[in-house]
Amino acid sequence: MSRVFVRPGRRAPGFTGVPDLSSDRALVFRPVLGLAPCYTWGMVQSRDDLLMIKSAAELLGISEVTLRRWDQTGKLRAYRHPVNGYRLYRRSDVEALAGESAPEAQPPPPLAAGVASFIGRAGALAEVEQAFVRGARLVTVVGPPGVGKTRLAMRHAERLAAPPPGGTWFCDATGVRREQTLRAALVGTFGLVAAAASTEVLVAALARRRPLLLLLDNAEDLDADARRALSKLCVRVPQLHLLVTSREPLGVGGEALIELPPLELPAEGASGEAVLETEAVALMLARARSARALARHPGELAALVRALDGLPLAIELAAPHVGVLSPAEVLARFGPLLDVAPPGGLRSRHESLRAAIDASWRMLDDPSRSALAQCSLFASGFTLDAAEQVIAGPPGTAPLTLLRGLRDRSLITIQPGADPGEERLSLLESIRVFAHERLDPPVRAAAGERHTRYYLTRAEGWAGAVRSRGDVTARRRLMQEQVNLQVACARELARARTGDPAAAVDALRLALCLDAPLSQQGRFAELLALLDAAEPLAVAAPEPLRIQASLVRGEALGWTGQLTLSLEVLERAVTRAAARGDAALGGEGRAYLALRLHQASRLEEAVSAGEHSLRLHAGGSSRRTEGSTRIMLGIARGNLGQNEAARADTEAGRRIAAELGDRWSEGIALAKLAHLDQEAGRFEEARFYYEACLRCMREAGDVVFEALCQCYFATLAHEEALADIEGTADEARRAYERGLMILDAVRLPYYEGLFRGFFGAFEATFGATERALEAFDRASVRLDHVGQPAYLAALDLLRGALDRRRAVPGDPELARSLAARIQRTEPFVGRSMHVRTALRMLAGPRDRSPAPAAAGAWTVGPEARWFAAPGGPVVSLGRRGPVRRVFMELVTRRLAAPGAATTADALIEVGWPGEKVMYEAGLRRARMAIVELRSLGLRALLLTRDDGYLLDPAVPLALAECAAGQCPGG
C-alpha cells in the first residue's frame, strides 16, 4: 500500500486525498495521483493499525469517558483524524497499556478433585509425557465419547514430577465454537477480564507469565478459525504448553496426536486371575460396592465389561449397580447398556452413555449419519473393501470420504487385520447399537441385501479354499468374519421364514461357510442349530448342497458325542452321493465316515472306508481329502498296533498336507507321529513332533486341536515324570490344565472324559488324592453316555493309580485289583493306543536306555555320505545336505574327543552355514536332524546329554576309504 503522511490535529495544506472510512476501526488514505505527500506522525501500513475511541475503550475494558481523561492526563495519547478530528489510537499503544494494566497473575484454582483412584493407562500417560519431552507444545488426546480423555489429562497434570512454575490451568470448551467465544473462555480462565477483546492482549498478558500448562477440555466443537487461533496462541506464547482433549484432531500445525483406546479387556478364555488383572475389570472392582464378593465371579465381570466396551464412563455409570445386582443381572436388566445411569442421588457429567454418544451424533451431517448407521450392519470389524460395497452415500460422495470423517471423529476405530499390515475398521458396540437404532427401514433393507451378497460371495470362496487345500489364510478370513457371516445368516433365515425360498438357500450356504470357524472353536452346538434352522426351509437347494450339509451335520454330531446318529447321517449322505455318481462328495463322505467308525472303535471298518475313499480320489479329484484320509488310516492302523503301516500312511498324508500348505492336516499328522514315537519310548522325538503340532494348530487358529495336542503332550510329560526325568511333572500338570480348560469350555465330552482320566492318574501319583477323585468322577460323567468302550477301558486302567496311592505297602489286594483291571481291558489293548498308554502308566517306569549297538564297528563313508551298521545295509545321506553335515560334525567330534558332546549351536552352524535364522528356529532344525538320523538307523549310536549330542564312545567307529564314485551312496 502507498504511504500517506499527515500531521495530527490539522488538515494538510493542499490535501486532496480521500479518506477510506469503510471501517470504523481504522483510517487509511488513498492518495490522489500527482500530489506530493505531507509529513505526519507516522506511516499507516493497514487499516488495523489505528483504533477509534470505542474500540480502544472496549479493548481496555474501560469507558470512553475514562479514555478521554487518560488522553488529557497523557496516560494514553490520542491522535486526531485529519478530516473529522476524531480521536485515534495506535493499536500497539493500547495493547501495551492493556498488558501493563492486567492484574497480577494469580495462581490457578486447584483442579477438580478426581475419584479416589486412577486405574491403568500407563502407556497413554507415557505417550503424553514423551510428546511434551520431544518438544511438542500442543498435544491433543482424541477418542470416542466416554473413553476417559478428561481424566487422563488431569492425571497427567497430577503426576508431573516438576509442575510448571506458572501452574496448571483448566478450561472447559464444551459448546465453544467461535474464536471470540474461545477467547472469552480463556480470558475467564486466566482472570484477564481487562483484555477481553483482543487475542494480542491475551498473548501479551500470558507472555509475562512463567511456563504454564493449560488443559483445554472438549475442544471438538471449535470451528476452523478458533482452532487456528489456538495454534497461533501456542506459537506466540513460548511459555504455554497446551494439552487438549477432543473427539477429533484439531488439524492444525504442530499438533501431536494421541489416540486413547478403551481400557484393556479380558481375553476370551482367560483365567480368573488374568481377568481380575485387566484394566476394565480393575476399574469396575474399584468403583463397585462389593468388590470382594464380585471378585469370585470373574467370568460374569468379564462379560459385563466387554458389553460396556471397556469405556470408563460406562463402567463408572454401571458400577454403583453392581453389588446390588450381579453382573449378569445388570446385563439382563439394562439390555443395551447405553441407558445405564447412576442410581438416584448420584450425578455424572454425562447422564448416560447414550447422552455422550448423542452429542457426537448431533455434530454429524446427514450423509455421515447415514454412513454410520449403515456401518452398524457390521456386527464386528470390517474391511474397507466391505464398507465400499455395503455403504451407499449421496451421489458423487465416496464411502471412503464419509468413513474418513467418522474416523476423525473417533466414531470408527482401526484394528489390526488377519495379515501383517492389514487394517480393519470397527465400531464400539455401544456406538453400533446407537447407530443401528437410527437406521431407516428402507436403507436397512437395501444395505442388508448388499451385506449378505458381499459376505456370501467372499465366504464361499474362502470355504472352498479350506476344503480343497486347507488354506490357512482362508481359515483366518472365515474366523475374522464369523460374526458378520452369522448376522447375514440370521437375516436370511428371517426372510426365509416369511416364505422367501431364495433366502432359505442363501441361509444354508452361509451356514456351511460357518463350518470351519465354528468347528475350530468347538462350537458344534451352534453349527447344528444353524443347520437345524436352515435345512428344513431350503427345500429348493440343489442336491449337492444338501449332501454337503449332511456331511457337515454328521461331523458335528460326532464331535458332540452323538456317535450313533452321526454314523446314520453320514451313511445316508454317502449313499446319496453314490446315487448321483458324485465321486468327490462320495470320497469326502467316506473319509468322514472312516473317522467316525474309528471313533466307535470299529477300526477294521474305518480302514475299509478310508481305502474306499482313496479309490474314489485316485484321479486326484481332491488332494486334501486324499491326504486327510491317509492320516486317518495312519491313526486307525496305529490303534490296531500296525505301527509301521501307520507311520507310512501318516508320512504320506503329511507330505500331501505340506505340498498344499495345509497346516491343520499337517498338525494332525505330526500328532500321530508323536503318538507312534511315544509308544515306542522315543520321548525326545515325540516331544519334537508334539511341539511342531502345537505350532501348526496355532497357525491354523484351531483351539480344539490345540487343546488336544496339549493333552497328548501332557501324557508324554506324564510318562517322562514316571521315568524320573526332572521338571516333567510340573510340565505335565500345566499342559493337562491348559488343555482341559479348553475342552471343558467347548464341551467335547469324550475327549474331556478321556484326558480327565489321565489327569486323575497323574494327581494320584504326583498330587493329591482329593483332586484325583474329582478328576475321575468328572471323567466318568463325561464318558458314561458317549458310547466309547475303549475310552472307558482306559479310564478303568487309570483308576489303578488311585488304588496304588491308597494301598498299604505290601497289600496283596492291590496286586489282585490291578490284575483284574488289566484282565478286564485286555480286549482293547490291541485296538487302542489310549488303553496301551494307560497300561504303561499303570505298569510304571520302564528302561528307556537305547538298545545296545550291534557288535563290530560302524562304518562311515567319506564326508559322511553314507553309513552302515555292522552287518547291516548301507544308508545313503548323499542327498540330505544339512543332515549329512550334522552327522559329519558328530563323527568328527567322536573321533577327535570320544565322550565329548556337540552343542546344538554348533550343529546349527555346520548344518546351515551362512543362513540367518531365529535361534528357536535353528534349535528346531537341529533337533529335527537328530530325529531324522535316529529314524534312519542311528538310534542305538546317537545319544543325548544335557550338554548336547554325541555318538556312543563305547561303540567302534571306522571311516571307509574308497575312491571317488565307488563309495556306497556316493
Side-chain angles (χ1 to χ4, degrees):
M1 175 180 291
S2 300
R3 295 175 292 181
V4 176
F5 299 85
V6 297
R7 185 180 305 278
R10 54 182 294 189
R11 184 169 178 165
F15 176 75
T16 56
V18 181
D20 183 351
L21 302 179
S22 60
S23 168
D24 67 345
R25 298 182 56 195
L27 176 64
V28 179
F29 292 103
R30 298 196 304 268
V32 176
L33 204 60
L35 296 181
C38 302
Y39 291 96
T40 187
W41 44 262
M43 294 180 293
V44 180
Q45 298 293 339
S46 76
R47 69 180 60 197
D48 289 333
D49 286 342
L50 294 174
L51 299 176
M52 297 188 72
I53 188 168
K54 180 179 179 181
S55 299
E58 287 177 353
L59 193 150
L60 290 167
I62 60 177
S63 68
E64 292 181 32
V65 173
T66 301
L67 190 53
R68 290 189 184 97
R69 189 161 51 249
W70 285 6
D71 185 10
Q72 295 168 1
T73 61
K75 183 173 182 179
L76 180 62
R77 183 184 176 190
Y79 301 91
R80 293 289 179 171
H81 191 289
V83 175
N84 55 31
Y86 290 168
R87 283 184 172 86
L88 299 174
Y89 297 87
R90 285 179 186 265
R91 177 180 291 276
S92 57
D93 292 345
V94 173
E95 289 175 352
L97 182 60
E100 293 172 4
S101 61
E104 288 298 318
Q106 298 297 317
L111 295 177
V115 290
S117 59
F118 184 87
I119 305 296
R121 300 298 201 191
L125 287 167
E127 282 189 70
V128 173
E129 183 177 344
Q130 285 303 309
F132 283 122
V133 168
R134 288 192 296 267
R137 301 276 311 292
L138 171 58
V139 178
T140 305
V141 179
V142 298
V147 81
K149 303 179 290 294
T150 302
R151 188 70 186 92
L152 180 86
M154 297 179 74
R155 179 60 175 170
H156 167 75
E158 291 168 1
R159 67 195 295 265
L160 286 173
T168 299
W169 302 77
F170 181 87
C171 179
D172 187 356
T174 302
V176 174
R177 288 187 58 81
R178 302 174 65 82
E179 178 184 357
Q180 183 178 0
T181 316
L182 172 64
R183 187 167 60 244
L186 294 176
V187 161
T189 296
F190 290 110
L192 301 174
V193 179
S198 168
T199 299
E200 285 73 9
V201 174
L202 178 62
V203 168
L206 292 180
R208 299 172 59 238
R209 301 196 176 199
R210 293 181 296 171
L212 56 89
L213 172 65
L214 172 62
L215 307 183
L216 185 66
D217 196 29
N218 300 315
E220 56 270 2
D221 288 330
L222 297 179
D223 64 17
D225 289 339
R227 296 180 185 200
R228 283 192 292 271
L230 198 63
S231 176
K232 290 177 182 177
L233 179 65
C234 202
V235 170
R236 295 177 63 184
V237 182
Q239 300 93 323
L240 176 64
H241 289 78
L242 195 55
L243 179 55
V244 179
T245 71
S246 174
R247 297 182 186 184
E248 61 183 270
L250 298 182
V252 296
E255 180 183 28
L257 205 59
I258 294 172
E259 187 170 356
L260 187 64
L263 292 172
E264 173 200 14
L265 290 169
E268 293 289 346
S271 66
E273 183 178 351
V275 166
L276 297 178
E277 289 177 353
T278 56
E279 292 179 347
V281 173
L283 179 61
M284 178 66 77
L285 292 175
R287 303 294 183 262
R289 299 179 181 179
S290 305
R292 187 171 299 176
L294 286 173
R296 295 196 291 269
H297 304 283
E300 290 186 14
L301 279 171
L304 178 57
V305 296
R306 288 192 198 104
L308 294 167
D309 286 323
L311 291 174
L313 170 63
I315 293 172
E316 299 266 7
L317 293 173
H321 298 281
V322 180
V324 178
L325 302 173
S326 71
E329 288 171 331
V330 172
L331 279 171
R333 174 169 296 216
F334 289 99
L337 294 167
L338 290 168
D339 298 313
V340 174
L346 295 179
R347 289 290 178 266
S348 169
R349 190 165 71 89
H350 296 292
E351 293 181 358
S352 67
L353 188 56
R354 181 185 298 278
I357 297 172
D358 186 59
S360 290
W361 175 266
R362 291 196 305 271
M363 293 170 61
L364 301 176
D365 57 22
D366 288 341
S368 297
R369 290 179 183 178
S370 177
L372 183 62
Q374 292 177 72
C375 285
S376 71
L377 291 171
F378 298 103
S380 66
F382 53 98
T383 62
L384 179 59
D385 178 56
E388 290 178 325
Q389 297 299 317
V390 174
I391 296 170
T397 303
L400 178 60
T401 302
L402 298 171
L403 292 172
R404 187 182 297 117
L406 295 172
R407 166 67 179 143
D408 286 344
R409 290 168 174 80
S410 301
L411 293 170
I412 287 180
T413 58
I414 295 180
Q415 305 292 337
D419 297 321
E422 183 186 50
E423 291 183 337
R424 285 173 66 80
L425 308 174
S426 65
L427 276 67
L428 294 175
E429 182 62 12
S430 51
I431 294 175
R432 192 191 73 80
V433 171
F434 180 94
H436 199 67
E437 293 172 351
R438 285 152 179 78
L439 187 58
D440 294 334
V443 177
R444 184 196 305 257
E449 177 64 21
R450 294 192 295 269
H451 182 275
T452 296
R453 296 273 74 79
Y454 175 83
Y455 280 109
L456 181 56
T457 302
R458 298 298 192 279
E460 285 192 322
W462 297 328
V466 171
R467 279 196 297 271
S468 63
R469 60 182 185 275
D471 189 274
V472 172
T473 300
R475 277 183 181 274
R476 287 201 302 269
R477 298 286 184 199
L478 286 168
M479 177 67 78
Q480 198 165 50
E481 302 295 359
Q482 173 197 310
V483 179
N484 282 315
L485 292 172
Q486 287 174 303
V487 167
C489 188
R491 182 188 301 117
E492 296 309 298
L493 281 173
R495 292 178 56 204
R497 293 187 183 106
T498 66
D500 186 337
V505 175
D506 286 345
L508 183 59
R509 292 163 65 191
L510 285 161
L512 294 179
C513 292
L514 283 161
D515 173 24
L518 291 177
S519 294
Q520 65 192 47
Q521 297 171 80
R523 297 165 64 175
F524 300 105
E526 291 179 51
L527 179 58
L528 287 169
L530 287 177
L531 294 173
D532 288 342
E535 278 190 281
L537 298 171
V539 292
E543 181 65 2
L545 187 67
R546 296 178 67 83
I547 293 173
Q548 186 67 51
S550 294
L551 295 179
V552 172
R553 176 184 292 278
E555 270 292 273
L557 288 168
W559 280 108
T560 56
Q562 303 173 68
L563 194 50
T564 302
L565 185 56
S566 169
L567 290 170
E568 291 175 3
V569 170
L570 290 172
E571 285 167 352
R572 285 198 300 268
V574 166
T575 302
R576 288 159 60 193
R580 286 180 50 82
D582 192 327
L585 274 177
E588 186 178 353
R590 288 192 178 278
Y592 288 158
L593 185 59
L595 185 59
R596 295 306 150 204
L597 288 168
H598 165 265
Q599 181 185 342
S601 297
R602 293 160 58 179
L603 301 179
E604 290 81 7
E605 293 177 73
V607 170
S608 176
E611 290 174 338
H612 193 166
S613 175
L614 288 178
R615 289 194 294 274
L616 289 173
H617 287 293
S621 59
S622 175
R623 286 284 284 162
R624 184 176 188 242
T625 302
E626 179 186 350
S628 298
T629 304
R630 287 284 185 194
I631 296 167
M632 190 285 306
L633 285 171
I635 295 171
R637 285 174 170 144
N639 275 298
L640 287 167
Q642 303 168 11
N643 287 359
E644 292 304 318
R647 184 175 288 275
D649 280 326
T650 305
E651 288 285 13
R654 181 190 176 192
R655 284 193 295 273
I656 293 174
E659 168 195 322
L660 295 174
D662 181 0
R663 296 290 282 163
W664 186 87
S665 296
E666 187 178 359
I668 302 294
L670 289 164
K672 184 58 200 173
L673 293 173
H675 298 159
L676 294 171
D677 281 330
Q678 182 178 346
E679 190 160 11
R682 300 190 288 266
F683 288 174
E684 185 173 358
E685 289 88 335
R687 178 178 285 268
F688 173 83
Y689 284 130
Y690 279 134
E691 290 173 352
C693 170
L694 279 170
R695 288 193 297 274
C696 285
M697 291 309 169
R698 286 167 184 159
E699 187 175 338
D702 194 312
V703 297
V704 173
F705 275 91
E706 181 183 343
L708 292 176
C709 192
Q710 286 277 11
C711 288
Y712 279 120
F713 176 78
T715 66
L716 171 67
H718 185 166
E719 286 201 75
E720 290 177 319
L722 289 170
D724 294 327
I725 299 176
E726 185 178 355
T728 52
D730 289 339
E731 197 173 26
R733 182 185 300 282
R734 288 193 298 271
Y736 274 130
E737 289 174 347
R738 281 195 297 265
L740 287 169
M741 180 180 68
I742 297 173
L743 293 179
D744 181 46
V746 300
R747 309 290 176 106
L748 295 184
Y750 60 97
Y751 272 124
E752 186 192 348
L754 173 69
F755 288 112
R756 286 213 180 273
F758 277 107
F759 185 51
F762 175 84
E763 288 289 0
T765 306
F766 300 100
T769 302
E770 294 77 12
R771 288 198 295 269
L773 279 169
E774 179 189 0
F776 283 128
D777 288 345
R778 294 180 68 178
S780 296
V781 170
R782 298 291 188 273
L783 292 176
D784 278 347
H785 306 291
V786 297
Q788 243 296 6
Y791 286 12
L792 289 169
L795 180 60
D796 191 4
L797 284 171
L798 292 166
R799 285 184 180 275
L802 191 57
D803 293 345
R804 183 179 282 119
R805 175 69 175 262
R806 289 169 159 177
V808 177
D811 184 357
E813 185 59 34
L814 173 63
R816 286 192 291 272
S817 170
L818 297 181
R821 291 184 186 278
I822 292 171
Q823 185 176 4
R824 286 195 299 271
T825 57
E826 187 174 355
F828 299 97
V829 171
R831 304 181 63 78
S832 170
M833 69 170 188
H834 300 111
V835 171
R836 292 194 292 274
T837 302
L839 190 59
R840 292 195 303 272
M841 291 178 175
L842 186 62
R846 57 177 165 168
D847 183 12
R848 292 183 59 247
S849 57
W858 287 63
T859 308
V860 179
E863 299 181 338
R865 292 187 174 276
W866 56 270
F867 69 86
V874 170
V875 178
S876 174
L877 299 177
R879 295 185 179 181
R880 304 174 189 262
V883 174
R884 179 186 62 78
R885 290 191 290 272
V886 166
F887 182 49
M888 186 63 205
E889 177 67 16
L890 292 169
V891 170
T892 302
R893 185 74 164 165
R894 161 69 174 76
L895 296 174
T902 303
T903 65
D905 290 350
L907 295 181
I908 294 168
E909 187 174 343
V910 299
W912 296 269
E915 288 193 36
K916 294 181 178 180
V917 296
M918 300 293 288
Y919 181 67
E920 291 296 330
L923 286 180
R924 286 196 294 272
R925 287 185 179 186
R927 290 172 63 183
M928 191 61 202
I930 296 297
V931 169
E932 189 169 351
L933 286 169
R934 285 174 173 158
S935 68
L936 291 171
L938 290 169
R939 187 171 311 282
L941 188 63
L942 184 48
L943 308 180
T944 301
R945 287 196 323 222
D946 290 343
D947 56 344
Y949 303 94
L950 69 157
L951 300 179
D952 191 344
V955 176
L957 192 67
L959 293 178
E961 296 181 4
C962 54
Q966 298 178 353
C967 296

